[in-house]
């Protein structure tokens, strides 16, 4: 298959970027999207040009590293997959494909398609944990947890932290990401003790990082490669109100 | 045992060794811990758990990872589960049984004392993770669910759908995040360790040269940084990417442990590689990595190839499909050869059996390198819904990649490189042959012998990180309470920094014409053909020469674009592949030295009449620990004899 790629090139955080067009030929339809970029990069390197910088690692949709905005969609046109799981058979021969980085002021571009997502780490650091030291735990089966709760907590916990939700949102809101962690822990007995402080601190950090407000468009969940449900946002809002009503954090 | 190797296994009865020893290890008091720095390289399960635990204990920790966040370590990709001897299923499991299964599964090439400790602490891991909020699968009554995994006859594997590694890593990541927030851990993401720095021990001359820091490279700015500490813990994962194609993440590398090797940390059993039986077959030259389908699929899927050669050929030519082959003409070769364990034989056995059938011409895709994993029977037995609830996400993943519906068509699978049992040699304290340098998780060699059982790597990573090294490192650091902080303006740091800068400059100024991947692929092909599922003397001898040639070409012909002071992934790759090119040779040497077959190491010259691995306990019941003697010189072999006081060494049988 042959394609015309329009790829965002940007030297560094402070440089301005632009689209550069690269034709590419003879790509197998079984090749993955990132393998196609690998092929292009090898061609660029062998011509002595700089390859396109992009983030990737596991290449099986779980590490959350890959992050390309393809033809107007985070992770491309297919639902419920990451960029690394996208295959060229999802495109038509001769297609023109536009590839950009995540766009959000909270995710500054490092180079080309690589952005800095450390804001997400700082949100988790603000409270996305249970404060249990190693060795403090009781027997794992001492507290039975209803399967439905455990399953829901699991579903929320499957967030891979890729940032597609932010990239998809016109306000660049991080509500889906933050609420997934808040929900996971809110649904489990282990998360109760610190529930109030957690939601307050995580939301405060999210605001501090410069993510936008949520206006309930649902684009985040629709574009999420893991299908994280928008219910989590509702749950976080409830948790937040509960916390504020009896806040000890002044 | 070689005079340079002391495994430091405590005396006493196997069952009491660890608890006895733990209560005797020297302690560092809380006020002193603050003044003691520990560097942790890697924040996967092993490193993340260790760094978090050190932080909680009050040490001052610096942790490094090359990804943009600790949450993305390769541990995240583990699917199937984690073992623990909880006996929640009341099916007769016990610490001893887990210990025994692991020793046997490892084909009697691991240390009794380490493995027993692993089995003991396995129970604490599950408690810890549940307390952190890890959402393991549960039964309707609300209690934890278990599944069974290859090589064992009890159900002791805890899981979170097909995403167990993700959930465990996010648990460790949350504990680590808490310590970062508390200020006990400073996290350096997008940083790569380039070298370990050794210095004379100023407090205890007997210790000689000890690990006192690392050189790291900031992958965004390219800056070379110096970091000092009283101890350095490697948790940098496995080196399966030496094969180019593997199930490991693209960035997984050997650099941290290889640099340690070149500074004097022995590499143990480097040839022990696990080739996982249930991966997606290769499809073409464009391929950058291989995808694993969880072994848990073998619980309900049946593995087969056609009985008749003509059927296999028709399938290879696309004239027939699996659905055209009636049950009577299907060869369920695992069930046929291993009636007791059937489809649940250990990985090495299952992989070789697939290779045997494909080599004989019974492969089921165009390349002839694939076998079927069929869920038709499970769907008949328990219904498609039940199959979906157990394996839904794995089926989805398969369909996305293979573009075939596994509910209708059996999956096609083939073995692929997955895990490295070999690694940096460590003693019972997880300390390498360099004092003050420790190694944990997949990057060390301990616990799995010549073959790892499924769901045991997660267990080992977390055991090392949460429950072993936090204790054992204290014994070492207790002698450092008066050392004071370690300076970085020393000749040793100068030298290490200079060497790495020279290497970087070389790459960026070399006027070659071939990309790094070109050489990596070539190396990978040789490793797969000659040091993969089956090895022999002739092939290995040739491979050593071929690798030397590729290495020489690499240094002449490699082309690395870009600059040193910018984000430059091609440079990152070049630095890693340079180390793989040396490691590959050592793996072949180790495989050549081991004139026996054991676990994942199968030497064609040493097999039983039925084609099973033939061990030589008389001559090879030892750990092969290699000492670096220069890139172009032969490394020196040191032997750690393995002594079995508690289990009888038998031929492994799964029949
Ligand atoms: C697809 C797949 C599925 C698996 N499924 C299972 C399973 O179901 N059950 C099971 O028990 N095991 C499984 N395994 C094996 C298991 O996941 C790994 O062995 C284990 O997670 C390794 O953990 P680790 O902490 O040692 O290393 P990793 O998780 O690989 O972490 C390595 C860390 O080191 C860092 N690092 C590496 N080099 C450097 C450097 N030079 N400088 C700085 N940082 C560096 C990385 O950034 C990373 O943080 C699976 C493996 C794969 C590939
Ligand atoms: S590379 Fe890991 S999710 Fe895409």
């Amino acid at each position: 298959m042959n394609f015309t790629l329009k790829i965002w090139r940007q030297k560094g955080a402070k440089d301005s970027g632009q689209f550069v067009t690269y034709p590419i030929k003879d790509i197998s339809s079984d090749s993955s999207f990132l393998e196609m970029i690998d092929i292009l990069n090898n061609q660029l390197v062998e011509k002595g040009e700089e390859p396109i910088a992009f983030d990737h690692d596991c290449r099986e949709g779980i590490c959350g590293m890959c992050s390309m905005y393809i033809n107007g969609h985070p992770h491309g046109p297919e639902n419920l997959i990451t960029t690394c799981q996208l295959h060229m058979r999802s495109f038509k021969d001769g297609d023109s494909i536009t590839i950009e980085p995540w766009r959000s002021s909270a995710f500054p571009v490092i180079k080309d398609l690589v952005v800095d997502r450390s804001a997400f780490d700082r949100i988790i650091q603000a409270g996305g944990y249970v404060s249990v030291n190693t060795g403090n735990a009781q027997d794992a089966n001492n507290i039975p947890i209803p399967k439905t709760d455990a399953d829901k907590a699991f579903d929320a916990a499957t967030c891979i932290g890729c940032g597609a939700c932010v990239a998809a949102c016109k306000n660049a809101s991080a509500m889906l990401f933050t609420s997934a962690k808040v929900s996971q822990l809110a649904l489990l007995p282990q998360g109760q003790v610190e529930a109030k402080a957690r939601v307050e601190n995580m939301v405060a950090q999210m605001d501090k990082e410069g993510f936008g407000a949520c206006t309930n468009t649902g684009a985040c969940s629709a574009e999420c490669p893991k299908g994280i449900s928008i219910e989590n946002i509702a749950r976080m809002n409830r948790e937040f109100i509960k916390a504020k009503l009896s806040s000890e954090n002044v | 045992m070689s005079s340079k190797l002391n495994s430091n296994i405590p005396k006493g009865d196997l069952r009491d060794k660890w608890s006895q020893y733990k209560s005797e290890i020297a302690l560092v008091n809380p006020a002193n811990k603050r003044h003691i720095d520990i560097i942790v390289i890697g924040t996967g399960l092993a490193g993340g758990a260790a760094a978090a635990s050190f932080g909680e204990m009050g040490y001052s920790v610096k942790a490094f990872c090359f990804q943009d966040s600790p949450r993305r370590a390769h541990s995240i990709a583990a699917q199937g589960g984690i073992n623990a001897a909880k006996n929640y299923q009341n099916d007769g499991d016990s610490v001893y049984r887990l210990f025994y299964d692991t020793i046997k599964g490892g084909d009697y090439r691991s240390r009794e004392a380490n493995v027993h400790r692993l089995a003991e602490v396995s129970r604490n891991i599950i408690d810890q993770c549940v307390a952190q909020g890890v959402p393991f699968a549960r039964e309707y009554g609300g209690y934890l669910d278990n599944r069974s995994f290859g090589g064992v006859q009890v159900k002791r594997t805890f899981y979170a759908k097909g995403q167990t590694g993700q959930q465990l890593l996010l648990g460790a990541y949350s504990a680590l995040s808490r310590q970062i927030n508390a200020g006990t851990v400073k996290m350096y993401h997008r940083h790569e360790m380039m070298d370990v720095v050794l210095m004379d021990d100023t407090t205890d001359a007997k210790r000689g040269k000890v690990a006192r820091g690392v050189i790291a490279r900031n992958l965004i700015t390219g800056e070379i940084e110096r970091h000092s500490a009283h101890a350095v813990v490697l948790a940098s994962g496995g080196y399966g990417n030496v094969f180019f194609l593997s199930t490991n993440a693209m960035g997984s590398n050997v650099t941290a442990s290889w640099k340690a090797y070149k500074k004097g940390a022995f590499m143990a059993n480097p040839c022990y590689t696990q080739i996982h039986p249930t991966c997606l077959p290769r499809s073409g030259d464009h391929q950058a990595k291989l995808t694993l389908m969880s072994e848990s699929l073998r619980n309900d899927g049946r593995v087969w190839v056609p009985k008749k050669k003509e059927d296999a050929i028709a399938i290879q030519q696309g004239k027939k499909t699996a659905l055209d082959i009636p049950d009577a003409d299907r060869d369920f070769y695992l069930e046929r050869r291993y009636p007791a364990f059937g489809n649940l034989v250990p990985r090495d056995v299952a992989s070789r059996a697939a290779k045997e059938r494909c080599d004989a011409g019974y492969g089921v895709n165009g390349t002839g390198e694939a076998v079927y994993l069929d869920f038709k029977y499970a769907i008949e037995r328990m219904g498609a819904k039940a199959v979906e609830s157990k394996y839904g996400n794995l089926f989805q993943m398969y369909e996305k990649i293979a573009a075939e519906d596994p509910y209708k068509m059996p999956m096609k699978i083939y073995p692929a490189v997955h895990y490295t049992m070999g690694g940096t040699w460590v003693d019972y304290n997880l300390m390498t042959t360099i004092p003050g340098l420790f190694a944990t998780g997949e990057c060390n060699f301990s616990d799995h012998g010549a073959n790892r059982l499924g769901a045991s790597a997660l267990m080992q990573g977390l055991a090392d990180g949460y429950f072993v090294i936090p204790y054992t490192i204290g014994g070492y650091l207790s002698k450092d309470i008066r050392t004071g902080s370690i300076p970085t303006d020393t000749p040793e740091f100068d030298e290490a920094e200079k060497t790495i800068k020279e290497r970087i400059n070389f790459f960026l100024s070399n006027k070659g014409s071939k990309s790094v991947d070109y050489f990596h692929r070539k190396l990978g092909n040789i490793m797969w053909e000659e040091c993969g599922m089956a090895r022999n003397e002739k092939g290995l001898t040739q491979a050593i020469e071929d690798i030397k040639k590729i290495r020489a070409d690499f240094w002449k012909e490699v082309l690395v674009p870009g600059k040193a002071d910018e984000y430059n992934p091609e440079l990152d790759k070049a630095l890693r592949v340079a180390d793989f090119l040396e490691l590959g040779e050592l793996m072949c040497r180790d495989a050549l030295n081991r004139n026996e077959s054991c676990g994942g190491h199968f030497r064609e010259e040493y097999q039983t009449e039925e084609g099973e691995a033939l061990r030589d306990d008389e001559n090879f019941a030892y750990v092969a620990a290699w000492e670096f003697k220069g890139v172009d010189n032969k490394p020196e072999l040191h032997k750690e004899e393995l002594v079995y006081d508690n289990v009888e060494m038998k031929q492994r049988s799964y029949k």
Side-chain angles (χ1 to χ4, degrees), chain B residues 200-454:
Chain B
D200 288 319
D201 192 347
T202 47
T203 42
D204 183 355
K206 275 205 302 295
R207 296 204 299 208
K209 287 223 180 287
V210 297
R212 287 301 197 199
V214 300
I215 301 284
R217 196 167 139 260
N218 178 329
L219 299 182
I220 296 177
T221 63
E223 198 177 329
I224 304 292
E225 301 170 352
R226 302 176 178 199
H227 297 275
S228 65
H230 298 87
V232 176
V233 178
L234 301 183
S236 48
Y239 50 79
N241 277 350
V242 66
F243 290 84
F244 188 72
L245 287 180
S246 82
T247 63
N248 287 7
M250 300 297 286
S252 298
N253 68 85
V254 76
T255 293
S257 26
W258 196 251
K259 290 295 161 48
Y261 168 66
K262 291 173 90 167
K263 287 275 169 86
F266 297 179
M267 272 299 260
N269 303 330
C271 81
Y272 288 167
T273 309
Q274 179 158 84
I275 315 244
H276 195 292
T278 54
C279 302
L280 267 62
R282 300 169 185 225
S283 66
D285 287 339
H286 55 265
Q287 219 155 352
K289 75 158 282 190
L290 298 170
T291 305
L292 173 87
M293 299 303 298
S294 169
E295 161 165 280
S296 62
L297 293 167
R298 287 199 277 143
N299 266 310
D300 292 298
R302 295 178 71 191
V303 177
W304 64 275
V305 293
K307 260 186 199 158
K308 297 186 191 145
K309 191 71 136 288
E310 63 263 28
D311 283 340
I313 293 171
I315 292 172
Q316 289 160 13
Q317 295 171 343
K319 291 181 189 145
K320 278 190 179 176
T321 74
L323 306 182
D324 299 320
I325 315 297
D327 278 8
D329 289 340
R330 299 178 171 195
D331 175 15
F332 300 92
Y333 58 86
L334 288 176
E335 298 166 30
R336 168 170 61 79
R337 286 179 66 177
Y338 308 101
F341 281 71
N343 293 295
L344 285 176
V345 289
R347 294 175 174 175
D348 53 335
V349 177
S351 289
R352 268 199 302 280
K355 177 172 160 49
E356 189 277 329
R357 283 293 78 195
C358 292
D359 287 352
Y362 293 89
V364 295
N365 69 356
T367 65
E369 291 197 334
V371 299
Y372 289 127
L373 177 63
D374 202 340
F375 283 85
K376 178 180 103 164
Y377 309 93
I379 292 171
E380 283 166 7
R381 175 165 47 85
M382 56 201 219
K385 256 208 117 70
V387 171
E388 189 191 340
S389 86
K390 261 175 124 165
Y391 306 110
N393 60 334
L394 295 171
F395 277 39
Q396 247 175 27
M397 181 164 118
Y398 179 86
E399 189 171 355
K400 272 175 216 155
I401 299 174
E404 245 177 21
D405 178 358
Y407 293 95
K408 302 203 177 97
M409 268 290 179
M411 293 182 177
K412 293 190 197 94
I413 53 163
Y414 198 66
V417 172
H418 175 61
Y419 181 90
T420 48
M421 280 77 68
T424 305
W425 185 90
V426 288
D427 68 3
Y428 188 73
N429 295 313
L430 304 182
M431 190 157 90
T432 70
T433 46
I434 299 175
L437 181 71
F438 295 78
T440 58
E442 189 172 341
C443 82
N444 76 22
F445 89 105
S446 72
D447 299 6
H448 306 297
N451 173 58
R452 174 175 71 78
L453 290 181

Side-chain angles (χ1 to χ4, degrees), chain A residues 35 42 45 55 57-58 60 63-64 81 89 111 121 125 133-135 139-141 145 157-159 161 184, chain B residues 53 56 67 69 72 86 88 127-128 133 142 167 173 178 190 250-251 286 288-289 400-401 515 559 567:
Chain A
E35 283 163 353
N42 257 317
V45 171
D55 265 331
D57 199 26
C58 73
E60 42 189 73
C63 75
I81 58 172
R89 54 179 169 261
K111 185 174 182 179
D121 283 330
Q125 285 156 22
N133 282 356
T134 302
D139 186 88
N141 255 350
I145 300 176
T158 55
C159 165
Q184 175 201 342
Chain B
S53 305
E56 289 162 9
Q67 291 93 346
S69 162
R72 308 204 201 283
K86 280 289 200 186
Y88 284 161
D127 300 342
Q128 188 67 30
Q167 295 310 318
Y173 164 72
R178 175 174 162 241
R190 293 201 197 260
M250 300 297 286
H286 55 265
K289 75 158 282 190
K400 272 175 216 155
I401 299 174
S515 70
L559 171 64
Y567 184 77

Side-chain angles (χ1 to χ4, degrees), chain A residues 34 56-66 82-84 160:
Chain A
L34 295 185
H56 64 110
D57 199 26
C58 73
R59 298 234 180 163
E60 42 189 73
I62 192 75
C63 75
M65 194 100 181
C66 63
T82 53
T83 305
C84 60
I160 58 174

Side-chain angles (χ1 to χ4, degrees), chain A residues 8-58:
Chain A
W8 186 259
R9 305 285 327 237
Q10 180 173 340
K11 268 206 107 29
K14 296 192 193 80
D15 303 280
S16 59
Q18 86 262 2
F19 283 105
V20 179
T21 304
Y22 300 93
I24 186 151
K25 287 204 203 88
D26 299 329
I27 298 294
S28 153
S29 62
D30 282 336
S31 147
S32 77
F33 198 83
L34 295 185
E35 283 163 353
M36 175 196 62
I37 305 282
D38 290 339
I39 293 171
L40 173 64
N41 274 347
N42 257 317
Q43 293 172 357
L44 292 176
V45 171
E46 296 194 347
K47 278 196 283 183
E49 288 176 39
E50 272 203 50
I52 293 140
F54 64 100
D55 265 331
H56 64 110
D57 199 26
C58 73

Side-chain angles (χ1 to χ4, degrees), chain A residues 3-211:
Chain A
F3 304 99
T4 307
L5 308 176
K6 285 190 200 146
I7 304 180
W8 186 259
R9 305 285 327 237
Q10 180 173 340
K11 268 206 107 29
K14 296 192 193 80
D15 303 280
S16 59
Q18 86 262 2
F19 283 105
V20 179
T21 304
Y22 300 93
I24 186 151
K25 287 204 203 88
D26 299 329
I27 298 294
S28 153
S29 62
D30 282 336
S31 147
S32 77
F33 198 83
L34 295 185
E35 283 163 353
M36 175 196 62
I37 305 282
D38 290 339
I39 293 171
L40 173 64
N41 274 347
N42 257 317
Q43 293 172 357
L44 292 176
V45 171
E46 296 194 347
K47 278 196 283 183
E49 288 176 39
E50 272 203 50
I52 293 140
F54 64 100
D55 265 331
H56 64 110
D57 199 26
C58 73
R59 298 234 180 163
E60 42 189 73
I62 192 75
C63 75
M65 194 100 181
C66 63
S67 45
M68 290 184 191
Y69 197 78
I70 302 164
N71 286 347
H73 295 277
H75 298 303
E78 306 270 335
N79 285 335
L80 295 174
I81 58 172
T82 53
T83 305
C84 60
Q85 293 174 299
L86 181 62
H87 281 75
M88 296 322 290
R89 54 179 169 261
S90 298
F91 296 87
K92 286 199 297 290
D93 193 23
D95 270 0
S96 170
I97 305 173
T98 308
I99 310 169
E100 299 168 74
W102 286 172
R103 307 261 189 210
S104 155
S105 58
F107 290 163
V109 172
I110 292 172
K111 185 174 182 179
D112 297 341
L113 305 171
V114 177
V115 299
D116 178 355
R117 285 171 287 194
S118 48
F120 271 11
D121 283 330
R122 290 188 292 272
I123 293 175
I124 300 295
Q125 285 156 22
Y129 40 77
V130 173
S131 297
V132 53
N133 282 356
T134 302
N136 268 353
Q138 57 176 337
D139 186 88
N141 255 350
N142 273 2
I143 311 178
I145 300 176
K147 183 170 164 53
T148 45
D149 289 353
D151 287 351
K152 270 196 212 153
F154 170 82
D155 287 342
T158 55
C159 165
I160 58 174
C162 64
C165 46
V166 175
C169 174
K170 63 181 170 41
N171 306 323
S173 164
M175 284 289 272
L176 192 65
F177 169 78
T178 310
S179 69
K181 185 50 73 181
V182 167
S183 281
Q184 175 201 342
L185 296 175
L187 284 157
L188 297 172
Q190 289 81 4
Q192 297 315 311
V193 176
E194 298 165 286
K196 288 180 191 164
R198 174 177 309 115
V199 66
E200 285 186 274
N201 293 340
M202 289 178 74
V203 168
Q205 187 66 33
M206 181 180 86
D207 294 341
K208 198 168 132 197
E209 296 290 346
F211 290 105

Side-chain angles (χ1 to χ4, degrees), chain B residues 136-250:
Chain B
F136 283 119
R138 288 179 184 267
E139 295 167 345
Y140 282 100
Y143 293 99
L144 292 161
D145 192 16
N146 293 112
R147 52 166 63 140
S148 48
F149 246 55
V152 301
Q153 288 172 312
V154 293
K155 276 166 81 168
R156 63 160 75 101
T157 304
F158 294 78
Y159 67 101
K161 275 209 182 143
Q163 280 135 278
T164 316
Q166 179 194 32
Q167 295 310 318
L168 296 174
L169 182 64
L170 293 181
Y173 164 72
S174 71
L176 180 64
S177 297
R178 175 174 162 241
Q179 293 310 306
I180 296 172
N181 189 48
T184 57
V185 178
K186 176 138 178 49
M187 185 69 216
Y188 295 84
H189 61 259
R190 293 201 197 260
H191 272 66
E192 187 138 320
M193 168 183 147
M194 296 278 102
D195 207 351
V196 52
V197 179
L198 312 192
M199 290 196 218
D200 288 319
D201 192 347
T202 47
T203 42
D204 183 355
K206 275 205 302 295
R207 296 204 299 208
K209 287 223 180 287
V210 297
R212 287 301 197 199
V214 300
I215 301 284
R217 196 167 139 260
N218 178 329
L219 299 182
I220 296 177
T221 63
E223 198 177 329
I224 304 292
E225 301 170 352
R226 302 176 178 199
H227 297 275
S228 65
H230 298 87
V232 176
V233 178
L234 301 183
S236 48
Y239 50 79
N241 277 350
V242 66
F243 290 84
F244 188 72
L245 287 180
S246 82
T247 63
N248 287 7
M250 300 297 286

